[in-house]
């Protein structure tokens, strides 16, 4: 299988029938996130979002067609409905069962939006989540320490291969798990080299 960043500019655009037909060939498998740096950051999310918490997972596209690669290599995840296909996967639904993913999903769940700069900005976003905190608690150390924790977590998640990643975010409470107050975050990090997608969801309530 070709990597998701293997673009062939001479390859013709797949038809709608080919696009839809390729969905059935897309299979996901879980990839463990085994990192002390990620754990150290997430412990702060747990401590600052005491009435909510977080959910995290990473999955690799273990099987997919060249049609999938055509859209991924051109960064056309919305056209391919990649996020819907990820969240609609039985393995992702099982791994994120507390999220209570709706049976019917929008083409772009939660109106996820690609963020300019991608993973280059992820450490700042993660640091901000804990510095601002949840309903009752915020990070008890300096913003510089929050930034360091976030940077080390991002390094573990990306290997500092920033150019290989796309980052999408929404604050919409798109499943019943979110409290729909002021502290809802969904981040989806796409690794085009490895055909992997990492999801982090955070919520809290007062």
């Amino acid at each position: 299988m070709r990597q998701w960043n293997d673009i062939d500019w001479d390859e013709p655009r797949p038809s709608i029938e080919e696009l839809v037909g390729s969905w059935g060939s897309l299979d996901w498998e879980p990839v463990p996130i085994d990192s002390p740096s990620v754990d150290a950051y997430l412990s702060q999310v747990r401590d600052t979002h005491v009435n909510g918490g977080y959910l995290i997972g990473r999955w690799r596209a273990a099987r997919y067609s060249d049609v999938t690669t055509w859209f991924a290599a051109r960064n056309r995840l919305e056209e391919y409905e990649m996020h819907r296909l990820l969240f609609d996967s039985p393995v992702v639904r099982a791994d994120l069962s507390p999220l209570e993913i709706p049976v019917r999903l929008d083409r772009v769940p939660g109106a996820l939006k690609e963020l300019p700069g991608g993973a280059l900005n992820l450490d700042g976003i993660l640091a901000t989540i804990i510095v601002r905190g949840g309903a009752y608690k915020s990070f008890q150390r300096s913003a510089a320490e929050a930034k360091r924790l976030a940077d080390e977590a991002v390094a573990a998640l990306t290997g500092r291969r920033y150019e290989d990643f796309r980052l999408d975010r929404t604050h919409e409470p798109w499943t019943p798990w979110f409290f729909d107050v002021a502290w809802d975050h969904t981040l989806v990090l796409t690794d085009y080299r490895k055909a992997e997608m990492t999801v982090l969801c955070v919520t809290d309530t007062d």
Side-chain angles (χ1 to χ4, degrees), residues 166-186:
R166 163 176 167 155
L167 179 63
D168 290 79
R169 178 179 65 179
T170 183
H171 299 293
E172 295 290 326
W174 62 281
T175 82
W177 181 79
F178 296 98
F179 284 108
D180 190 15
V181 185
W183 301 280
D184 296 332
H185 310 271
T186 301

Side-chain angles (χ1 to χ4, degrees), residues 13 57 60 78 94 111 131 144 152 157 166 170 183 185 197 204:
R13 180 189 177 91
R60 176 183 299 120
E78 294 88 352
V131 168
E152 291 178 357
L157 291 170
R166 163 176 167 155
T170 183
W183 301 280
H185 310 271
M197 299 181 80
D204 201 21

